[in-house]
Amino acid sequence: MIEPMTNELGWMLDDVLKVPEARHAILLSADGMLRAHSADIDRDDAERLAAGLSGLQSISRSTSEFCGPADGPWRQTLIEFGHGFVFLVAAGEGAYLAVSTGDEVDMESVTYRMHKLVDRLGKELSSPARLDTGSRA
């Protein structure tokens, strides 16, 4: 049986949201599993978004040769909507940090806080790939 997520790191994600116009933050693993979420987003929405953002990161990674050598490391993806942005950054081995914002956000402040959070948490944010998922597929 899988134990329910305790969201132990959720309070740390709230720090990124101190930037005006920052809305939500989630921490996810490479395989789309939710690791933590900020207080202002419910777990069901955070889990759904973690799955989608994992796919987005994978697609972003697959287009690296568009910028140069295909073996260059992926660092960040930015998505812009008419009403805001989604920032997605690497947060350790197999882990990603995503933050959503309004359209008037100071982009530099958000990315700075995100990278400082990743630096501060270090090993806490790493999520090694799962070796055995229990599936035969």
Side-chain angles (χ1 to χ4, degrees), residues 50-119:
L53 289 164
S54 172
L56 180 64
Q57 186 278 334
S58 180
I59 290 168
S60 296
R61 220 188 238 281
S62 72
T63 61
S64 69
E65 75 264 5
F66 195 53
C67 293
D71 61 347
W74 173 85
R75 293 189 183 139
Q76 177 173 294
T77 296
L78 173 67
I79 309 161
E80 180 178 4
F81 296 97
H83 53 278
F85 299 93
V86 174
F87 297 81
L88 181 63
V89 301
E93 184 65 33
Y96 311 110
L97 176 61
V99 172
S100 67
T101 72
D103 60 344
E104 297 292 321
V105 73
D106 179 343
M107 296 170 76
E108 185 177 355
S109 292
V110 171
T111 56
Y112 175 80
R113 280 190 180 261
M114 290 175 75
H115 289 288
K116 291 307 264 183
L117 177 60
V118 169
D119 289 343

Side-chain angles (χ1 to χ4, degrees), residues 5 26 32 34 37-38 41-52:
M5 187 190 82
I26 61 174
L34 179 65
H37 59 90
S38 57
I41 185 170
D42 69 50
R43 182 175 171 182
D44 289 341
D45 286 342
E47 285 180 344
R48 180 179 50 81
L49 291 164

Side-chain angles (χ1 to χ4, degrees), residues 16 33 93 130 134:
V16 175
M33 300 300 294
E93 184 65 33
R130 293 186 289 173

